Amino acid sequence: MTLNFHPSLPVLRKLVEDGCFHSQFVTGTSNGGLTAHPGGDRWRWESRIFGGAYDHAPADERPVYGALNFRRKSVGAAPRFGSAHFRLTEDVLARTTFCYPDSHFEPSAFGVASRMALIAMAEADDRDALDDYIEAQVHGPVRLDRDVAALVLDPSHRGTVVEAEAHRLPCPIEWHAGFRLTIDRLRRYPDYRGREYVDLAAEIAVDGRLDPRILGMADGHDPQALKKVWHYLARFGSPREESVPGSAGPCCS
């Protein structure tokens, strides 16, 4: 299983300080929708899925969201949520539930590691590449010194302050093949997220290309607009070789 996120310096520093990966209910931030509050969509989806079990729970006791890497992607199971990911240890599977599709679609198909039909459903489906994941909900704290096998970063962060800060975490650092996208290629898909985001991408690009480091340095822009640019990079700039042997876990065997 993987937890995808964008490794900004504030995020990494908070991870170093806390030693845990927290949900949106604690951090107040997300690379998806910002609805983790009483009565919000994320609160409502959790209430529906778990029969109200978390309705009155403290924020730090709510589940942490990730995805099952059944396609064994080197960039993590759900890159729409970030260029980096924590790869979790096998032991975490015992306290994880799964659904397909994502909980914001209000799914009716659920499972646990020892009993599920979600992989076959996902493999038979025809979704956009950024929506092609089985959502995972990890119950209980995700400790970086115990529950994380590795932090996997984009190679654009090699030799940067992001790498230096990441090495302060109590887990190994690995590198995936890297997201890269030229503006010429991006312009072929103006309707994917919208022409305004193509124009913004061209403004942000360095020497006619984008990567996670370049996008992370784009200050002064609406974060929601930058998220749409990231969707372009994640969708059309992902590496061709993505297989990670053995990363899907025992429930996929």
Side-chain angles (χ1 to χ4, degrees):
M1 289 187 302
T2 64
L3 309 177
N4 278 79
F5 68 103
H6 288 299
S8 68
L9 279 179
V11 167
L12 289 173
R13 286 168 181 160
K14 189 64 174 173
L15 287 166
V16 169
E17 177 184 341
D18 292 349
C20 290
F21 190 96
H22 292 298
S23 77
Q24 182 188 150
F25 283 92
V26 174
T27 65
T29 63
S30 173
N31 296 314
L34 297 172
T35 62
H37 53 80
D41 284 344
R42 171 57 55 197
W43 186 95
R44 181 174 56 82
W45 298 331
E46 278 190 11
S47 182
R48 172 183 174 271
I49 291 173
F50 302 116
Y54 289 105
D55 285 4
H56 304 291
D60 60 0
E61 292 183 7
R62 285 179 172 269
V64 168
Y65 287 76
L68 180 66
N69 199 2
F70 70 99
R71 295 198 188 277
R72 301 187 177 186
K73 298 177 181 178
S74 72
V75 294
R80 74 172 295 142
F81 299 115
S83 67
H85 66 273
F86 286 119
R87 188 174 71 248
L88 302 185
T89 64
E90 186 175 311
D91 291 343
V92 180
L93 284 167
R95 53 187 174 95
T96 303
T97 52
F98 302 92
C99 68
Y100 183 81
D102 187 285
S103 54
H104 87 271
F105 292 110
E106 301 196 350
S108 58
F110 303 93
V112 293
S114 61
R115 186 179 177 85
M116 70 158 72
L118 303 182
I119 294 173
M121 291 177 61
E123 289 178 336
D125 209 346
D126 184 24
R127 290 184 176 270
D128 181 83
L130 294 192
D131 298 322
D132 179 34
Y133 57 88
I134 294 171
E135 182 183 291
Q137 306 100 22
V138 182
H139 303 270
V142 176
R143 283 178 34 184
L144 306 186
D145 63 345
R146 179 192 65 191
D147 302 320
V148 172
L151 168 60
V152 187
L153 293 170
D154 187 277
S156 64
H157 294 301
R158 284 187 182 274
T160 69
V161 291
V162 166
E163 179 184 3
E165 194 67 26
H167 277 294
R168 296 180 61 205
L169 295 170
C171 60
I173 305 298
E174 297 178 2
W175 306 90
H176 60 66
F179 291 96
R180 299 290 184 276
L181 182 63
T182 66
I183 297 302
D184 286 343
R185 185 173 184 216
L186 189 153
R187 290 189 189 281
R188 302 176 195 171
Y189 311 101
D191 298 327
Y192 184 66
R193 289 296 187 259
R195 292 179 183 274
E196 63 186 292
Y197 305 113
V198 173
D199 293 339
L200 177 58
E203 178 184 340
I204 293 168
V206 174
D207 296 329
R209 65 178 178 84
L210 286 174
D211 62 32
R213 183 187 65 84
I214 292 169
L215 189 55
M217 296 172 61
D219 297 326
H221 298 280
D222 177 3
Q224 295 302 305
L226 292 176
K227 180 174 74 174
K228 298 298 179 63
V229 175
W230 164 248
H231 288 174
Y232 271 105
L233 178 54
R235 175 64 178 83
F236 301 108
S238 60
R240 291 181 180 273
E241 176 53 53
E242 294 189 312
S243 179
V244 180
S247 65
C251 62
C252 300
S253 59

